[in-house]
Amino acid sequence: SSLELTELIITPSLISAVPQFVSLPLSMSYLQVAVDALIGSQVEIVIFVIAVCLHHVIFGKHRFSMRGKRMQVAKRSCQGVKHGQVSSATQPSQSTMCPHASFVRTMSTFLRIDRSQEEINHEIVKQLGISSVGMEIEALEALLSTMGKSTNAKALAAVRNALEMQGLQPSVRLYELLLRAYLGLRLQPEFAELLAEVEATGAAAPSIKVLALRAAIHASDLEASIACLLALASILKSSSSATASTAYPLLVQKLVRLASEQAALPRLLQEFSACELLNVWVLEELLEECSQRGDLAHMKESVELARAQGTELSSKARAALIRASGTVADAMSFFEGTTGQCKPDILPLVALAEAAARFSDTTLADSVLQHLPQHPSATLAAAVLRLCLAGGPLASQDEGVTVLQLFEKHFAAVDLSQDLQLQRLVADAATKCGRPMVLQKLVRSLPDSTSRAALLKSYANEQCLDGAKRVFQACPDSDACLYNALLSVCVACRDIASAEKLMSKASEAGAADVVTYNTMMKAHVQSGDLRRARALLRKMRSVGLEPNNVTFNEIIDAAAAQSSAAMWEVINEMEACGLKASPITCSILLKSIQQSSQPKDVDRALSIVESADLAMDEVLLSSLCEACIRTSRTDLLTRYLKQQRSARGVTIKSAHTYGSLIRSYGFLNDLEGVWAMWNEMQARGVAPSCITLGCMVEAVSTNGEPEAGLSLIHQMLKDKQTRSLVNAVIYCSVLKGFSHRKRFDQVWAVHEEMRKQSLQYSIVTYNALIDACVRSGEMNRVSLLLEQMSDDRIEPNVITYSTVLKGYCQDNRIDKAFEVLEDMKKSADFSPDEVTYNTLLDGCARYGMLERGLALLQDMEASHVRPSNFTLSVLVKLANRSRCPDKAFELCSELSSKYHIRLNMHVYNNLVHACTAHKNLPRALEVFEQMLGERVRPDVRTYTLLLRACVDSCKTSEAADLLRMAVGISDAPARFARFGAAIAQPKGGLTAELIGETLEGIASSCSEERLALELFNDLRNVRGLKLDSRLPMRLTARAIRSPGKRQ
């Protein structure tokens, strides 16, 4: 018994013998603890001994071999990686059991970060030496298999370098993975080099030969393609249409297309015939391609060669011949070749029906009807019934009657559930002929409500509400799915009254669900009635239905178009329902962020996006970058770009996303990042789009390198695959870049280059050229450009006139500028806008024409052109230069109150300047106080004006207070303290030049050397503040020379 066994195991003699087996002397206390532990676990020990005995009796020899099993599982897992397959059973444990998992995981993470080629080469060799000694080839295979399409050129170069450095001979599988990656990245030179190496080693397996053929076809190299085809001849020859790999017909199809484009089909036919490759599926691909091109001559030649080879025409081949036939006789002849079969095949019948419709021939149509099988397919039924439409061979005065006759005689039993167009054809015929029973039979034959709802929704595109209602009435029952489908048709037809009646019926029938309410809310949103949409949302919640993201997204989008306040009200309501932002919600929020958005709205929108816990993808990354650019949030944009460069970055596969990132780096004036993105895009084989190229040229041109932009354009023009991407808009960025750098000789050279290439100019191009004329002071060129615009049939717009007007103002030809304004006012196509008036006001300010400027302001208001902050800043400058500072304050007060304008930093700066220019420092400080009270953050110019005025007036204590407040080293003066220290500190801080100028002014002009030295000692302890290293010596020397001054 178990008790006896326990007594046998734990006995006093056994306990007394324990110390004899212990190598080190133990104290009696430790021995007693061990004995107590054994006695306490004796039941578990007994159970374990019994289990071992039973296992030995039942299973024989006892052996634990978990390590061996794990090695077997790991081996199978690695083999799965090696062959690109991982079974579901081993997939979860692959990362922990595969001996290469650590290497693959480490390198995959490392390659996602932007590294130099040297760093990647070093890291891959290092990791191979750590985790894959003796199994380097298998490890590299696992890495490339795991990376798949995310493999880039740097990774491939690193793999090749590792093989060379360690003297390893690649396996056939590794060769194939490398070649496949090179082909995917369109790196033709590297592919050709490696293929030559493979062929030299004799390791060109069939899969590698297929890759070679794909590469040759992609390069449009017909000779190389034919050579590769001959190398695969034995494989293609043994493949039938039933057993051939899907890759072979696709390659043959592309090869036939290439030969057809190069007018070399006869040559290809000869090669096919010589190699006896005109088997069934090759012939099908040949005939199908020739059929699409209407090349009947080569089709007949292919048929003759195939018959000489003993290949019979398949149904698909005969169908292609019928489609390509040029006459009724040819079509009938090709079809008659199929009638010897016991049952005419469907494909030739469909092709013959299409030919009958094309030729509008009743003979062909009758032949189709004569050979209709007992159980025709839906495709054949659709082809036959279309013969009854207007212009068809079976058309009659009442086409609906003919359709119904054919349907009831031949196709009543055909399953039409997969052919919505055929359902509509029969349903429309039944409705037109007043046959409700046929319509009811058709609707009832559909398998479920989803299919019936699809038929109902098909009426939405044609806005045929009556037809949808008849189908709805023919349905055997009306559930929520059908009500919602009919409701969507009502919404598409903009029939709100019918939609509301239908919703009432659905509610009475208990069939109104969340989708019903969402659809009805969409109708109110489309009609612009946001109030009723929100009222319906409240009713929805009152009846116990919980709104979802779809519900709120429609209303949020409409509210965002109305105002930001309305949008946030709806978002608050969504959050109250416990819903988080969906990807569509985030897209709406990011789209709502514009240049005019308030900082708090921007911060909250981005906070909601970040808290949504959405997986970052290309679309979200692009949207975030564009939103940051629109709002000039360089801080957030820098953070997102830094995150993208880390290991958590998104793997980018689209040219659109690369365009957004390039534009972002350009916005941050980071040319290194711009080129890094462009080089990464090329390394990954992502073909640039026209927009991507435009973003790249704009980024380098606006950051002071228009020469690099022009060089990139020339590079694109040399490549026939990218030549079509270049247009006048892209050139326009280069024009603006040279213009802003005052390289007007280059502007005209680029203009001439564009003319030689016969590029299609746009109004944007001409406006850029006219702007260059204005900047260079060459207004005489403008008339020539306007003549070219007229020749190109491009009408000037408001920007064109405003730019010309600006040029006249700069050229001191104000009267001519006003003439341009009058011409614009007489135009029927457009009227002067705010930019036009602001430009002319600036011209008046330039020459101190106060009366004329005020008259222009009255004209602006009379034309219902709303002034802006820019208008106010120009008006303040006008009053200042006209020596009327009080008028500046009067205009700002009047216009800001009338048009609800919140003064910005530029207006306040100009007001400060108006005060300091007229030696009125107290009023300037009052403006500064008002500026802080309105939470408008000053900039360096604000402090420059105030500090210089303080020094000029010898107001050293005010200057010292302003300096300390600007750098945040002391409490603000009493009059400014209530606004907080943060709002007074300018973005980016004060410049070392301004601080030095102020301190030296205090010391020299105001003879306050000791105060200047004290200020310097305070300022030099400010972290991050750079000061002139020679300044303390100059201040100390001046203080020593003036010992009697301030203590």
Side-chain angles (χ1 to χ4, degrees):
S1 66
S2 60
L3 181 60
E4 293 173 348
L5 185 60
T6 303
E7 294 175 349
L8 178 64
I9 295 175
I10 310 297
T11 63
S13 60
L14 177 61
I15 295 175
S16 63
V18 170
Q20 301 177 12
F21 294 94
V22 179
S23 58
L24 297 175
L26 298 174
S27 66
M28 290 304 295
S29 59
Y30 288 122
L31 179 61
Q32 186 62 42
V33 170
V35 171
D36 291 342
L38 287 173
I39 294 173
S41 59
Q42 57 185 329
V43 176
E44 289 79 2
I45 294 174
V46 170
I47 294 173
F48 175 75
V49 172
I50 294 173
V52 170
C53 294
L54 288 174
H55 183 279
H56 183 75
V57 171
I58 297 173
F59 299 105
K61 186 178 180 180
H62 169 64
R63 181 183 180 184
F64 294 100
S65 56
M66 292 303 296
R67 176 176 174 82
K69 292 181 180 179
R70 288 177 181 172
M71 292 301 294
Q72 291 174 6
V73 172
K75 185 175 180 181
R76 289 196 299 268
S77 177
C78 292
Q79 288 174 348
V81 173
K82 183 176 179 180
H83 294 90
Q85 300 173 348
V86 181
S87 66
S88 59
T90 61
Q91 188 172 0
S93 60
Q94 178 183 339
S95 61
T96 58
M97 295 183 180
C98 177
H100 311 305
S102 175
F103 169 76
V104 171
R105 184 170 57 254
T106 302
M107 287 309 305
S108 297
T109 304
F110 188 83
L111 289 169
R112 290 183 62 185
I113 306 173
D114 186 21
R115 304 279 189 174
S116 66
Q117 187 65 63
E118 293 73 16
E119 290 176 319
I120 298 175
N121 292 347
H122 173 75
E123 185 66 20
I124 198 168
V125 173
K126 172 185 171 183
Q127 293 299 327
L128 281 174
I130 292 175
S131 59
S132 300
V133 178
M135 302 180 69
E136 291 86 352
I137 298 297
E138 290 82 355
L140 294 174
E141 290 175 0
L143 174 62
L144 294 180
S145 295
T146 302
M147 293 186 67
K149 292 184 179 181
S150 64
T151 308
N152 55 40
K154 288 184 179 179
L156 297 177
V159 171
R160 298 285 302 278
N161 176 73
L163 292 172
E164 182 179 353
M165 287 188 63
Q166 300 197 11
L168 300 173
Q169 177 61 40
S171 64
V172 174
R173 175 62 177 162
L174 184 56
Y175 272 133
E176 181 183 347
L177 289 170
L178 286 168
L179 287 170
R180 193 179 299 278
Y182 279 134
L183 183 60
L185 294 173
R186 301 180 182 179
L187 300 176
Q188 191 64 30
E190 290 82 355
F191 182 92
E193 178 186 350
L194 184 59
L195 181 61
E197 179 183 330
V198 174
E199 291 174 345
T201 59
S207 58
I208 293 179
K209 293 178 182 179
V210 170
L211 291 175
L213 177 57
R214 284 179 55 193
I217 294 174
H218 180 74
S220 300
D221 189 342
L222 183 61
E223 294 298 327
S225 300
I226 292 176
C228 295
L229 178 70
L230 297 178
L232 287 168
S234 59
I235 299 174
L236 297 175
K237 187 176 179 181
S238 61
S239 300
S240 65
S241 59
T243 62
S245 168
T246 55
Y248 297 148
L250 184 60
L251 284 173
V252 170
Q253 182 185 37
K254 291 181 177 180
L255 180 57
V256 171
R257 191 172 302 163
L258 176 62
S260 180
E261 291 172 353
Q262 299 186 7
L265 267 181
R267 161 81 189 286
L268 186 62
L269 283 173
Q270 291 176 3
E271 296 293 346
F272 275 133
S273 179
C275 298
E276 297 184 353
L277 287 178
L278 285 175
N279 54 26
V280 174
W281 62 268
V282 171
L283 182 61
E284 288 175 353
E285 298 301 333
L286 272 168
L287 295 179
E288 189 68 29
E289 178 65 25
C290 293
S291 174
Q292 293 178 5
R293 295 180 177 273
D295 192 351
L296 188 59
H298 284 117
M299 293 182 74
K300 291 181 177 180
E301 183 180 354
S302 302
V303 171
E304 292 176 1
L305 291 173
R307 284 174 174 168
Q309 189 177 307
T311 302
E312 294 294 331
L313 293 181
S314 64
S315 296
K316 183 179 178 181
R318 291 189 181 277
L321 287 168
I322 294 171
R323 289 193 187 94
S325 56
T327 63
V328 173
D330 285 340
M332 184 61 72
S333 174
F334 291 135
F335 176 73
E336 287 175 350
T338 66
T339 56
Q341 304 174 7
C342 297
K343 293 183 179 180
D345 199 73
I346 298 296
L347 293 178
L349 276 172
V350 173
L352 189 64
E354 293 172 355
R358 188 170 71 253
F359 295 117
S360 189
D361 184 77
T362 55
T363 305
L364 296 179
D366 291 340
S367 183
V368 172
L369 296 178
Q370 290 173 9
H371 294 89
L372 282 177
Q374 186 176 358
H375 302 290
S377 66
T379 305
L380 180 57
V384 173
L385 290 176
R386 289 192 186 99
L387 297 177
C388 305
L389 298 178
L394 300 181
S396 61
Q397 292 183 351
D398 192 348
E399 64 183 41
V401 175
T402 311
V403 169
L404 290 182
Q405 287 177 350
L406 287 173
F407 174 73
E408 293 179 318
K409 182 177 181 181
H410 299 285
F411 309 123
V414 175
D415 180 12
L416 306 182
S417 60
Q418 302 301 319
D419 194 328
L420 183 59
Q421 189 176 13
L422 187 55
Q423 295 172 31
R424 279 294 307 274
L425 186 63
V426 177
D428 291 346
T431 301
K432 187 175 181 180
C433 297
R435 300 282 301 278
M437 296 304 294
V438 176
L439 179 59
Q440 188 177 24
K441 182 178 180 181
L442 170 66
V443 172
R444 289 176 180 272
S445 69
L446 298 178
D448 50 31
S449 294
T450 304
S451 301
R452 296 174 190 130
L455 178 59
L456 274 169
K457 291 179 181 179
S458 67
Y459 287 90
N461 294 332
E462 301 169 12
Q463 296 189 349
C464 181
L465 183 57
D466 290 338
K469 287 181 177 179
R470 288 189 174 90
V471 172
F472 182 80
Q473 293 167 0
C475 294
D477 51 10
S478 300
D479 56 9
C481 182
L482 294 176
Y483 272 112
N484 293 335
L486 184 57
L487 188 62
S488 66
V489 179
C490 294
V491 173
C493 296
R494 307 279 181 174
D495 192 339
I496 303 297
S498 296
E500 290 179 336
K501 291 179 181 178
L502 183 64
M503 184 172 179
S504 298
K505 291 181 179 179
S507 299
E508 293 172 0
D513 58 7
V514 175
V515 177
T516 314
Y517 279 90
N518 288 349
T519 307
M520 198 64 223
M521 276 185 273
K522 180 180 179 181
H524 291 313
V525 167
Q526 286 181 350
S527 63
D529 196 342
L530 184 59
R531 182 186 59 81
R532 293 187 68 184
R534 297 192 63 180
L536 193 61
L537 174 61
R538 290 189 291 271
K539 180 180 178 182
M540 174 183 179
R541 298 181 66 183
S542 68
V543 298
L545 292 174
E546 288 298 326
N548 54 24
N549 284 102
V550 177
T551 312
F552 282 104
N553 287 340
E554 287 283 350
I555 302 180
I556 291 173
D557 195 22
Q562 190 179 84
S563 68
S564 60
M567 180 186 74
W568 291 122
E569 286 181 8
V570 181
I571 290 175
N572 291 337
E573 191 171 353
M574 181 186 76
E575 291 177 341
C577 292
L579 293 174
K580 281 191 173 183
S582 68
I584 297 177
T585 315
C586 294
S587 176
I588 295 170
L589 287 174
L590 293 173
K591 186 177 64 175
S592 71
I593 297 176
Q594 299 297 328
Q595 189 174 4
S596 59
S597 299
Q598 295 292 327
K600 62 178 182 179
D601 292 337
V602 176
D603 291 337
R604 185 179 178 187
L606 294 174
S607 175
I608 290 175
V609 172
E610 291 182 352
S611 63
D613 295 330
L614 300 175
M616 181 70 77
D617 57 10
E618 293 189 58
V619 176
L620 183 56
L621 177 62
S622 297
S623 300
L624 284 169
C625 291
E626 295 295 337
C628 291
I629 291 173
R630 286 196 300 272
T631 54
S632 299
R633 291 298 300 268
T634 56
D635 54 336
L636 295 175
L637 183 59
T638 302
R639 176 156 64 89
Y640 291 135
L641 293 178
K642 183 178 180 181
Q643 179 180 336
Q644 173 59 23
R645 289 194 299 268
S646 69
R648 296 178 298 167
V650 179
T651 301
I652 305 172
K653 299 179 182 179
S654 71
H656 174 78
T657 309
Y658 274 114
S660 296
L661 292 176
I662 288 170
R663 186 163 176 258
S664 300
Y665 280 111
F667 182 76
L668 295 175
N669 308 120
D670 185 354
L671 276 176
E672 184 178 348
V674 168
W675 284 108
M677 286 296 99
W678 179 262
N679 293 332
E680 179 184 312
M681 181 182 71
Q682 291 188 314
R684 290 190 173 179
V686 178
S689 65
C690 181
I691 296 176
T692 314
L693 178 59
C695 291
M696 183 64 190
V697 173
E698 181 184 27
V700 296
S701 298
T702 55
N703 282 285
E705 293 189 6
E707 297 89 354
L710 185 60
S711 175
L712 189 60
I713 289 175
H714 292 162
Q715 181 183 341
M716 295 294 107
L717 289 172
K718 291 178 182 178
D719 190 344
K720 65 178 182 179
Q721 293 184 348
T722 58
R723 188 179 304 153
S724 60
L725 301 179
V726 179
N727 55 34
V729 177
I730 295 175
Y731 264 108
C732 192
S733 298
V734 177
L735 289 173
K736 292 178 180 178
F738 282 126
S739 177
H740 292 165
R741 293 184 63 192
K742 301 187 183 301
R743 296 283 304 278
F744 302 112
D745 55 335
Q746 290 291 332
V747 172
W748 311 127
V750 173
H751 172 47
E752 293 298 326
E753 178 182 321
M754 295 170 67
R755 278 291 178 186
K756 290 179 181 178
Q757 294 183 16
S758 301
L759 293 177
Q760 185 69 40
Y761 276 34
S762 66
I763 186 62
V764 177
T765 315
Y766 278 112
N767 286 343
L769 288 168
I770 293 174
D771 182 67
C773 293
V774 172
R775 290 174 180 271
S776 62
E778 299 187 37
M779 292 297 294
N780 57 315
R781 291 180 181 262
V782 172
S783 58
L784 177 61
L785 291 173
L786 291 175
E787 290 178 6
Q788 291 178 353
M789 286 179 64
S790 179
D791 294 338
D792 291 343
R793 297 182 179 180
I794 297 176
E795 293 296 328
N797 61 8
V798 177
I799 298 175
T800 313
Y801 280 105
S802 298
T803 307
V804 174
L805 188 146
K806 177 182 177 182
Y808 285 135
C809 290
Q810 290 180 353
D811 207 25
N812 196 16
R813 299 163 68 182
I814 300 296
D815 293 335
K816 191 70 175 176
F818 273 93
E819 288 179 13
V820 174
L821 177 66
E822 292 302 320
D823 291 340
M824 294 177 68
K825 291 165 71 174
K826 294 176 183 177
S827 173
D829 298 328
F830 51 81
S831 301
D833 62 358
E834 182 202 337
V835 176
T836 309
Y837 281 106
N838 288 342
T839 303
L840 198 48
L841 281 171
D842 189 61
C844 294
R846 186 187 297 269
Y847 302 104
M849 299 178 178
L850 180 61
E851 296 300 327
R852 201 164 188 178
L854 293 177
L856 183 63
L857 175 62
Q858 292 179 356
D859 185 17
M860 178 180 183
E861 293 186 274
S863 300
H864 305 289
V865 177
R866 184 185 180 90
S868 67
N869 265 310
F870 189 88
T871 312
L872 291 181
S873 66
V874 175
L875 289 172
V876 173
K877 183 167 69 172
L878 171 65
N880 181 25
R881 293 191 178 183
S882 302
R883 303 182 183 278
C884 299
D886 291 337
K887 191 65 178 178
F889 284 91
E890 179 186 334
L891 289 170
C892 285
S893 175
E894 177 185 342
L895 294 176
S896 62
S897 174
K898 182 177 181 180
Y899 295 101
H900 306 288
I901 301 173
R902 180 175 177 266
L903 303 188
N904 65 10
M905 177 187 66
H906 302 290
V907 179
Y908 280 115
N909 282 346
N910 281 1
L911 287 171
V912 169
H913 188 211
C915 297
T916 57
H918 292 83
K919 309 297 182 181
N920 193 345
L921 179 60
R923 192 169 190 179
L925 292 175
E926 289 177 6
V927 173
F928 181 65
E929 183 178 359
Q930 180 184 352
M931 182 180 187
L932 297 180
E934 292 294 329
R935 310 301 294 173
V936 178
R937 194 175 186 180
D939 66 349
V940 175
R941 181 171 179 249
T942 316
Y943 279 100
T944 301
L945 293 168
L946 290 171
L947 289 170
R948 285 176 179 172
C950 289
V951 171
D952 290 343
S953 304
C954 289
K955 300 293 184 181
T956 55
S957 60
E958 285 84 351
D961 288 340
L962 286 172
L963 268 179
R964 290 191 173 102
M965 186 168 58
V967 298
I969 61 174
S970 125
D971 293 336
R975 64 188 298 186
F976 303 130
R978 58 195 176 97
F979 304 124
I983 191 65
Q985 297 177 23
K987 185 177 181 181
L990 300 183
T991 62
E993 292 78 8
L994 177 59
I995 294 174
E997 176 190 338
T998 304
L999 293 180
E1000 292 200 50
I1002 292 173
S1004 59
S1005 301
C1006 305
S1007 300
E1008 294 280 355
E1009 295 87 356
R1010 296 297 179 86
L1011 175 61
L1013 197 57
E1014 289 175 10
L1015 284 172
F1016 177 81
N1017 289 331
D1018 290 341
L1019 293 173
R1020 68 179 179 179
N1021 295 322
V1022 177
R1023 185 176 181 181
L1025 185 63
K1026 295 181 179 180
L1027 299 174
D1028 186 356
S1029 59
R1030 294 171 294 180
L1031 183 60
M1033 186 174 294
R1034 294 197 297 270
L1035 294 176
T1036 303
R1038 191 176 293 277
I1040 292 173
R1041 287 197 299 269
S1042 304
K1045 296 294 178 183
R1046 178 175 172 169
Q1047 299 298 324

